[in-house]
PDB file of all heavy atoms in Angstrom:
ATOM      1  N   CYS A 105     -13.100  -0.019  -7.351  1.00  0.00           N
ATOM      2  CA  CYS A 105     -14.366  -0.568  -7.832  1.00  0.00           C
ATOM      3  C   CYS A 105     -15.302  -0.778  -6.640  1.00  0.00           C
ATOM      4  O   CYS A 105     -14.946  -1.445  -5.672  1.00  0.00           O
ATOM      5  CB  CYS A 105     -14.146  -1.890  -8.565  1.00  0.00           C
ATOM      6  SG  CYS A 105     -15.703  -2.655  -9.089  1.00  0.00           S
ATOM      7  N   ARG A 107     -17.949  -2.452  -6.534  1.00  0.00           N
ATOM      8  CA  ARG A 107     -18.550  -3.797  -6.477  1.00  0.00           C
ATOM      9  C   ARG A 107     -17.558  -4.821  -5.938  1.00  0.00           C
ATOM     10  O   ARG A 107     -17.812  -5.460  -4.934  1.00  0.00           O
ATOM     11  CB  ARG A 107     -19.019  -4.220  -7.871  1.00  0.00           C
ATOM     12  CG  ARG A 107     -20.103  -3.302  -8.410  1.00  0.00           C
ATOM     13  CD  ARG A 107     -21.280  -4.057  -9.000  1.00  0.00           C
ATOM     14  NE  ARG A 107     -22.336  -3.101  -9.344  1.00  0.00           N
ATOM     15  CZ  ARG A 107     -22.789  -2.900 -10.575  1.00  0.00           C
ATOM     16  NH1 ARG A 107     -22.300  -3.601 -11.585  1.00  0.00           N
ATOM     17  NH2 ARG A 107     -23.739  -2.008 -10.804  1.00  0.00           N
ATOM     18  N   CYS A 108     -16.430  -5.003  -6.635  1.00  0.00           N
ATOM     19  CA  CYS A 108     -15.496  -6.078  -6.237  1.00  0.00           C
ATOM     20  C   CYS A 108     -14.351  -5.551  -5.375  1.00  0.00           C
ATOM     21  O   CYS A 108     -13.514  -6.326  -4.923  1.00  0.00           O
ATOM     22  CB  CYS A 108     -14.944  -6.790  -7.465  1.00  0.00           C
ATOM     23  SG  CYS A 108     -13.828  -5.770  -8.451  1.00  0.00           S
ATOM     24  N   LYS A 109     -14.306  -4.231  -5.151  1.00  0.00           N
ATOM     25  CA  LYS A 109     -13.289  -3.611  -4.302  1.00  0.00           C
ATOM     26  C   LYS A 109     -11.867  -3.723  -4.865  1.00  0.00           C
ATOM     27  O   LYS A 109     -10.895  -3.648  -4.128  1.00  0.00           O
ATOM     28  CB  LYS A 109     -13.306  -4.199  -2.882  1.00  0.00           C
ATOM     29  CG  LYS A 109     -14.652  -4.132  -2.176  1.00  0.00           C
ATOM     30  CD  LYS A 109     -14.937  -2.719  -1.673  1.00  0.00           C
ATOM     31  CE  LYS A 109     -16.080  -2.663  -0.696  1.00  0.00           C
ATOM     32  NZ  LYS A 109     -17.399  -2.682  -1.322  1.00  0.00           N
ATOM     33  N   SER A 110     -11.751  -3.959  -6.172  1.00  0.00           N
ATOM     34  CA  SER A 110     -10.410  -3.947  -6.750  1.00  0.00           C
ATOM     35  C   SER A 110      -9.910  -2.506  -6.772  1.00  0.00           C
ATOM     36  O   SER A 110     -10.694  -1.559  -6.898  1.00  0.00           O
ATOM     37  CB  SER A 110     -10.416  -4.555  -8.159  1.00  0.00           C
ATOM     38  OG  SER A 110     -11.105  -3.709  -9.048  1.00  0.00           O
ATOM     39  N   ILE A 144     -17.027   1.484 -11.330  1.00  0.00           N
ATOM     40  CA  ILE A 144     -17.265   0.062 -11.574  1.00  0.00           C
ATOM     41  C   ILE A 144     -16.247  -0.412 -12.604  1.00  0.00           C
ATOM     42  O   ILE A 144     -16.166   0.146 -13.702  1.00  0.00           O
ATOM     43  CB  ILE A 144     -18.712  -0.186 -12.055  1.00  0.00           C
ATOM     44  CG1 ILE A 144     -19.690   0.266 -10.958  1.00  0.00           C
ATOM     45  CG2 ILE A 144     -18.939  -1.659 -12.391  1.00  0.00           C
ATOM     46  CD1 ILE A 144     -21.105   0.475 -11.433  1.00  0.00           C
ATOM     47  N   CYS A 145     -15.442  -1.410 -12.213  1.00  0.00           N
ATOM     48  CA  CYS A 145     -14.336  -1.845 -13.069  1.00  0.00           C
ATOM     49  C   CYS A 145     -14.845  -2.580 -14.305  1.00  0.00           C
ATOM     50  O   CYS A 145     -16.023  -2.954 -14.390  1.00  0.00           O
ATOM     51  CB  CYS A 145     -13.378  -2.733 -12.271  1.00  0.00           C
ATOM     52  SG  CYS A 145     -14.015  -4.390 -11.961  1.00  0.00           S
ATOM     53  N   ASN A 147     -14.349  -5.611 -15.427  1.00  0.00           N
ATOM     54  CA  ASN A 147     -14.888  -6.948 -15.154  1.00  0.00           C
ATOM     55  C   ASN A 147     -16.317  -6.891 -14.639  1.00  0.00           C
ATOM     56  O   ASN A 147     -17.177  -7.627 -15.089  1.00  0.00           O
ATOM     57  CB  ASN A 147     -14.013  -7.655 -14.109  1.00  0.00           C
ATOM     58  CG  ASN A 147     -12.932  -8.481 -14.769  1.00  0.00           C
ATOM     59  OD1 ASN A 147     -13.049  -8.850 -15.934  1.00  0.00           O
ATOM     60  ND2 ASN A 147     -11.884  -8.759 -14.023  1.00  0.00           N
ATOM     61  N   CYS A 148     -16.545  -6.003 -13.661  1.00  0.00           N
ATOM     62  CA  CYS A 148     -17.878  -5.908 -13.057  1.00  0.00           C
ATOM     63  C   CYS A 148     -18.896  -5.335 -14.042  1.00  0.00           C
ATOM     64  O   CYS A 148     -20.072  -5.664 -13.989  1.00  0.00           O
ATOM     65  CB  CYS A 148     -17.832  -5.068 -11.786  1.00  0.00           C
ATOM     66  SG  CYS A 148     -16.951  -5.900 -10.454  1.00  0.00           S
TER      67      CYS A 148
HETATM   68 ZN1  LIG B 222     -15.099  -4.626  -9.957  1.00  0.00          ZN
END
Side-chain angles (χ1 to χ4, degrees):
C105 176
R107 297 227 173 118
C108 69
K109 305 284 194 280
S110 69
I144 298 162
C145 74
N147 268 339
C148 290

